[in-house]
Amino acid sequence: MRNRIQLISTVVLISIFTLLLSACGNDKANENQTNNTQASSNQTAQNGGKQSKAEEPYELTYLTIGDQAAKPLQPNDRIIAEINKRLNIKLTVKIVPEGSAEKINAAFATGDFPDVVSTYFPSNSVSQWIDEGILIPLNEYIDDLPTFKQDIEELNLQWTAVDGKYYGYPFISGINKSNYLVQYRGDWLEKLGINPPETLDDFYHALKAVANKDTYGFTTNKPKAGDQFNAFNFVFFAYGLPYGDYALDDKDNVVPIFEHPAFKQGMEYLRKLWDEKLIDPEFMAIDRPTKEQKFFQGKAGFTEGPLFRHVNRIESGVQKVDPAAKLAWISPPAGPDGKRGMAQKPKTGILTSVTTAAKNPQKAAEFIEFLLSREGKDLLELGIEGLHYTKDGETIHYMEAERAKDGFAENGWAHPLAWGNVTWPIDDDYLPQTEPARDRAVQSVQQASQYFVPNLVERRTAEEIELGSIVNDIYNQYFLNLVNGKLDIDKGIAELSKKWRQQGGDKILNAVNEAYKNSKS
Amino acid sequence: MSLINEQQLKLSSAEFHASTRSGKKSAWVIIWRQRYLYFMLLPVMVYYALFHYLPLYGATIAFKDFNIMKGILGSPWAGFKHFEYLFALDKFWEVIGNTLIISFSRLLVGFPFPLIVALLLNEVRLAVFKKSVQTIIYLPHFISWVILGGLMYNVLSLDDGAVNNLIQSLGGEAIGFMTDEKYFRFTMVLSMVWKEFGWNSIIFMAALAGVNPQLYEAATIDGANRWQKIGSITLPCIRNTIAILLILRLGSIMEAGFEQIFVLYHPGVYSVADIIDTYVYRIGLAEGRFSLAAAIGLFKSLINFILLVIANKLTRMMGENGVY
């Protein structure tokens, strides 16, 4: 009996300890296993025979942000195998979902650095990684990175350097091109015999004409956490707000946009739309997919958002509900003085950097260069010739079945590695040849790009990075209450101004004023 | 326990009385005698040490300027810098206020409701009906907030939401349950109570099952009606369970339901819905300000701890057992 108890106790104890210790252990084995399913380490084995034994492939881990439009990475991905072969590396790719930079932050906080990382910037995290020496300046490798160097010069991205050092490739989407416009149900306006709105007055009348008890005139969506809500900024631009980021007072000092007279005028206009139930009252509660669903289902006649590669997707969406539906778009409506604007010059993007974990930073930098290069982009957009596509003169035939095996998105769209890290289709002028409505997609960019609104200051200051989310939350809350009438416009703006300044705004303004004065001198 | 010989236990007990005379040495003898029981306890102790006590040193980053390269121990001390920064922020007091309001509302509505349901179910004599009701009310507990959030949006939405359609068909104005600051907390509290009341009634049901049926029989003979039996027998018998559950709930009063609020809130209702946990998530993980997030978390734990001690003290003063 005594032996039985001893035996049982020992077995139970060993089992429990094993469980506990396995939970505590460094998860190298699991990590490798996961990576194998995410990317593929087998590809190297397939191709490794071609490499000389003297030059062992460099093991490179790449952690990046994905994109909703991309398909997941497939096991035994032949594109990654091709990259391995061309660069003599053994690539492991980890992709976090779009907008989930917190997963990258958590990995870094635990000391789990990849060789190369792509994440949103500027941000508190990236500033911290730079300060602590986690990210390596790439200046000494830049001569070996021709596309990197060329992009910096051609796109005037020198402002992204920190004290003259480039801590990664700064991918700022939409610097010179925009695809943001006001979209609407063309078929509805045609039926009503209304011309596409040109001015804010026309816009109001068009909203009024399409709205009824089941349909709002206009819908939009909430901002990303920590960002300032700007979907209605085209109204303020129409009333004469001259810059996208800040305004100037009579003494040439930088002030927040809500202290410019155009904000009050725009807010009065928006209040009128709200009071007449022309604006979707849930706009601050819904995300972009929900907004699109509302538009598809005919719950709103107008919306705003990106076009270009989305033209066919949005039009197909509305036509699923109503086959006779037509997607149309207009330039931002003009204000009383004929002013108009829509897209704001971006100050944020995605930084692709090499970390101190890279044993061979040169190789890691070359990997970034490959992603940027025409060779790399062709591989990630089209695939391997003969396997994923064939060429007949200038015409490309996409082999969808083979492309699907390697995670390419349907209908000629790119591999998961080409989304949301160093390029987006609009920045690369990439549209599959088979894309329906190609001409309209291209036209939407030409039209939208005419309505860029400049920024007063080119880059975000350290204070904006640190305190931005706090003051933006205040702005968003007041914005909603000003639109929906919970606050009197004059009193509300004064209150917003006081609170915004008190909770970090003054600090931000001091820094931005200094940057503005420096940029003028 | 069945493996332990009854005689062995008696022996151990006798040894214990003997050992009180011979001091510490004999305490080790007792431990040695009952070593298998202590061995069985060891994994639990190791679990708590590894996963609950050891990570506590991480809380020190609230007093440090956390540097990833230097690690938690190597990061330089920053004193109360992060706390001072937090206390100067309106936002901090706003999230503390929201957490307390939402949590106390949940306690006020959510604590007695499962008890009432358990008492009602206890009175049901038709077993099939009782079991059916129990199964139905337990179900929402097993649905994640991510799914429920989508369902709630469809049911409570301003356009085509079933509830607002009903209100409008009766001639009323649509209500922004999820979008209006006035109604958002109400929606949160009610949906949380709806989701969990069935599950929370289980412990009360178990306590009710332990009430001696002879007491009811005696009361019946004495002519007591159902209300009198509930008031004089049922509630006093489960009073200790109610007290312990209340203490535990008070001890976690700063947990206002991260998952639910994270799924349902949006910038338009931050002023009434942003709680400590959602704020910590945003500034800690999303913005990577770990020291600041740790400071808020520590503050929250401190309040929880104080509330737990007060609640336990009050319970003991009222003549109940308490949790320690």
Side-chain angles (χ1 to χ4, degrees), chain A residues 51 55-58 83-89 363:
Chain A
Q51 306 294 342
E55 274 187 72
E56 279 294 306
Y58 173 64
I83 295 174
N84 286 340
K85 191 170 88 177
R86 293 191 196 179
L87 300 181
N88 190 27
I89 58 174
K363 205 80 177 165

Side-chain angles (χ1 to χ4, degrees), chain A residues 1-2 6 13 16 102 105 108 124 128 132 216 282 284 286 294 466-467 469 473 477 486 503, chain B residues 35-36 39 43 66-68 85 90 153 157-159 180-181 266 268 271 281-282 285-287 289:
Chain A
M1 184 65 183
R2 194 180 172 82
Q6 250 175 334
L13 268 174
I16 294 171
E102 71 274 10
N105 294 345
F108 270 65
N124 279 303
Q128 190 188 7
E132 294 177 11
Y216 298 112
E282 293 181 333
M284 201 58 106
I286 56 173
K294 286 192 176 200
E466 186 195 338
L467 302 164
S469 67
D473 282 353
Q477 186 75 62
K486 280 189 184 157
Q503 294 297 304
Chain B
R35 58 190 179 278
Y36 299 119
F39 269 144
F66 177 55
N67 183 311
I68 297 171
Y85 174 79
D90 283 2
Y153 178 77
S157 169
L158 278 166
D159 43 69
D180 195 324
E181 290 165 291
H266 51 86
S271 63
Y281 173 80
R282 286 212 310 281
L285 280 177
E287 291 186 28
R289 299 167 81 179

Side-chain angles (χ1 to χ4, degrees), chain B residues 174-186:
Chain B
I175 294 170
F177 292 106
M178 314 273 279
T179 51
D180 195 324
E181 290 165 291
K182 265 195 294 187
Y183 299 103
F184 191 80
R185 280 182 191 148
F186 167 81

Side-chain angles (χ1 to χ4, degrees), chain A residues 191-212:
Chain A
K191 268 185 205 161
L192 292 164
I194 298 172
N195 287 329
E198 275 291 323
T199 64
L200 283 178
D201 279 344
D202 295 345
F203 187 57
Y204 163 73
H205 290 300
L207 295 183
K208 196 118 177 110
V210 298
N212 55 49

Side-chain angles (χ1 to χ4, degrees), chain B residues 140 142-154 195 258-264:
Chain B
F142 297 100
I143 306 172
S144 97
W145 274 114
V146 178
I147 310 284
L148 272 184
L151 289 175
M152 278 179 68
Y153 178 77
N154 286 331
K195 186 177 186 289
F258 171 78
E259 200 188 343
Q260 178 196 20
I261 292 174
F262 187 69
V263 167
L264 295 170

Side-chain angles (χ1 to χ4, degrees), chain B residues 95-111 185 188-189 192-193 249-257 261 275 304 307:
Chain B
V95 296
I96 295 274
N98 287 337
T99 307
L100 288 172
I101 291 169
I102 293 175
S103 217
F104 272 112
S105 309
R106 279 176 48 193
L107 185 70
L108 278 176
V109 187
F111 187 76
R185 280 182 191 148
M188 291 301 97
V189 171
M192 170 61 88
V193 172
R249 284 295 302 275
L250 279 170
S252 58
I253 203 77
M254 301 300 270
E255 314 286 344
I261 292 174
I275 57 169
N304 268 339
L307 282 171

Side-chain angles (χ1 to χ4, degrees), chain B:
Chain B
M1 196 63 178
S2 60
L3 295 170
I4 309 296
N5 191 312
E6 201 177 308
Q7 199 180 1
Q8 203 178 350
L9 279 176
K10 280 178 188 168
L11 271 173
S12 301
S13 175
E15 281 166 5
F16 174 77
H17 291 298
S19 69
T20 49
R21 290 190 296 271
S22 54
K24 280 182 188 172
K25 197 181 169 187
S26 54
W28 286 108
V29 173
I30 295 165
I31 290 170
W32 179 248
R33 287 275 181 201
Q34 299 179 356
R35 58 190 179 278
Y36 299 119
L37 289 177
Y38 282 105
F39 269 144
M40 298 296 276
L41 185 67
L42 200 59
V44 179
M45 290 171 71
V46 171
Y47 166 80
Y48 273 95
L50 278 178
F51 296 107
H52 291 263
Y53 286 93
L54 203 61
L56 276 180
Y57 88 100
T60 55
I61 64 168
F63 304 97
K64 291 186 164 200
D65 276 327
F66 177 55
N67 183 311
I68 297 171
M69 295 298 270
K70 290 177 183 165
I72 294 171
L73 292 175
S75 297
W77 291 100
F80 288 94
K81 187 175 95 175
H82 303 298
F83 291 91
E84 283 163 15
Y85 174 79
L86 278 174
F87 295 157
L89 278 181
D90 283 2
K91 183 76 189 173
F92 175 70
W93 299 109
E94 184 183 285
V95 296
I96 295 274
N98 287 337
T99 307
L100 288 172
I101 291 169
I102 293 175
S103 217
F104 272 112
S105 309
R106 279 176 48 193
L107 185 70
L108 278 176
V109 187
F111 187 76
F113 197 58
L115 175 61
I116 294 166
V117 172
L119 289 172
L120 290 173
L121 284 173
N122 194 45
E123 297 301 315
V124 174
R125 291 289 165 259
L126 189 62
V128 178
F129 177 72
K130 188 176 174 178
K131 282 185 180 167
S132 308
V133 171
Q134 278 179 289
T135 309
I136 291 166
I137 63 174
Y138 294 165
L139 267 179
H141 170 79
F142 297 100
I143 306 172
S144 97
W145 274 114
V146 178
I147 310 284
L148 272 184
L151 289 175
M152 278 179 68
Y153 178 77
N154 286 331
V155 173
L156 301 173
S157 169
L158 278 166
D159 43 69
D160 280 354
V163 175
N164 273 319
N165 279 350
L166 183 70
I167 292 171
Q168 282 172 315
S169 65
L170 295 172
E173 276 279 304
I175 294 170
F177 292 106
M178 314 273 279
T179 51
D180 195 324
E181 290 165 291
K182 265 195 294 187
Y183 299 103
F184 191 80
R185 280 182 191 148
F186 167 81
T187 312
M188 291 301 97
V189 171
L190 233 61
S191 54
M192 170 61 88
V193 172
W194 168 75
K195 186 177 186 289
E196 297 298 339
F197 81 91
W199 184 254
N200 291 342
S201 68
I202 290 177
I203 296 177
F204 293 122
M205 293 291 289
L208 288 170
V211 179
N212 188 348
Q214 287 178 349
L215 296 172
Y216 292 113
E217 286 161 14
T220 310
I221 292 165
D222 290 344
N225 64 24
R226 284 197 170 187
W227 289 108
Q228 286 168 326
K229 281 185 216 168
I230 290 173
S232 305
I233 298 170
T234 313
L235 285 175
C237 284
I238 63 168
R239 200 172 57 179
N240 202 34
T241 308
I242 297 171
I244 287 173
L245 285 177
L246 189 64
I247 295 168
L248 293 175
R249 284 295 302 275
L250 279 170
S252 58
I253 203 77
M254 301 300 270
E255 314 286 344
F258 171 78
E259 200 188 343
Q260 178 196 20
I261 292 174
F262 187 69
V263 167
L264 295 170
Y265 82 157
H266 51 86
V269 293
Y270 276 176
S271 63
V272 294
D274 209 2
I275 57 169
I276 294 176
D277 293 337
T278 50
Y279 190 55
V280 164
Y281 173 80
R282 286 212 310 281
I283 65 160
L285 280 177
E287 291 186 28
R289 299 167 81 179
F290 296 102
S291 289
L292 207 56
I296 305 173
L298 204 61
F299 185 76
K300 178 185 126 177
S301 303
L302 185 72
I303 294 179
N304 268 339
F305 178 70
I306 293 168
L307 282 171
L308 182 78
V309 171
I310 293 171
N312 194 58
K313 188 91 182 158
L314 285 173
T315 314
R316 290 176 75 90
M317 280 164 70
M318 281 164 18
E320 299 300 328
N321 285 336
V323 288
Y324 62 90

